Structures are given as structure tokens and as C-alpha cells.
Amino acid sequence: MAEKRDIEQSDVQAIIDVFVEDKSFAPRCRKVGKLLKDRLYDISSYYWDYWISMGKFPEMQDPENVEKARIKTAAFIGKRLSDIEGAE
């Protein structure tokens, strides 16, 4: 997984601009969202498992907090992929 500091903002913008220019970014995000809709919780779990393993979030030692985070993150990903235009 790349560290945020390893990715120049201009590189990210160049990637996004390709899709924005031909107006295919939002439809592609929605298509990905449809493909992943039944796996968003799994993706969220993998995400949080990584951060929990880092040991930097003591509150994430509580299984109830972990479950809440997984559910909220899955919902966030779903929303971002289905409504990318409103995702500023």
C-alpha cells in the first residue's frame, strides 16, 4: 500500500482528469460500486484490520467500535461510489 506522501497531488489529479475530461469518471465509479456492493463490508473489514494491526488506535481494541467502524466505512464507500458528483 502506497503511503500518502509517496503520491504527488499532480499525479492523482492527472489520473482523475482523464476521466473527468470525457465525463466517464462518475459512471465508472457507479459501475464499480454496483460490482462491489455486496463486498463493501468485506473491503471495510480489510481496511480496519490493517489499521488495527498497527496498534495506533486503542479505541479499536473494543469489538463494538470495530464493528461500528466497519459498517460506517462500508456505507461511506458505497455512497462515494454511487454519488461521486456530490463527493467533494
Side-chain angles (χ1 to χ4, degrees):
M1 182 180 291
E3 293 290 329
K4 186 174 180 179
R5 66 179 177 271
D6 294 340
I7 302 170
E8 293 293 326
Q9 182 58 38
S10 61
D11 295 341
V12 173
Q13 193 60 51
I15 292 167
I16 292 171
D17 285 347
V18 171
F19 296 104
V20 172
E21 186 175 303
D22 71 0
K23 306 294 186 220
S24 67
F25 185 64
R28 287 176 188 236
C29 285
R30 284 191 287 275
K31 191 178 285 188
V32 169
K34 285 179 186 176
L35 291 171
L36 296 178
K37 71 179 177 148
D38 295 332
R39 301 301 307 261
L40 295 178
Y41 180 84
D42 296 334
I43 293 167
S44 174
S45 294
Y46 297 136
Y47 173 84
W48 282 109
D49 289 350
Y50 169 79
W51 285 107
I52 292 166
S53 73
M54 299 297 282
K56 295 184 180 183
F57 302 100
E59 64 275 13
M60 296 305 279
Q61 299 306 311
D62 179 347
E64 188 174 315
N65 288 342
V66 172
E67 184 62 14
K68 286 178 187 176
R70 287 175 174 164
I71 292 168
K72 284 184 177 186
T73 301
F76 173 79
I77 295 168
K79 180 69 174 165
R80 289 286 296 217
L81 290 173
S82 65
D83 182 24
I84 195 68
E85 293 96 339
E88 292 295 323

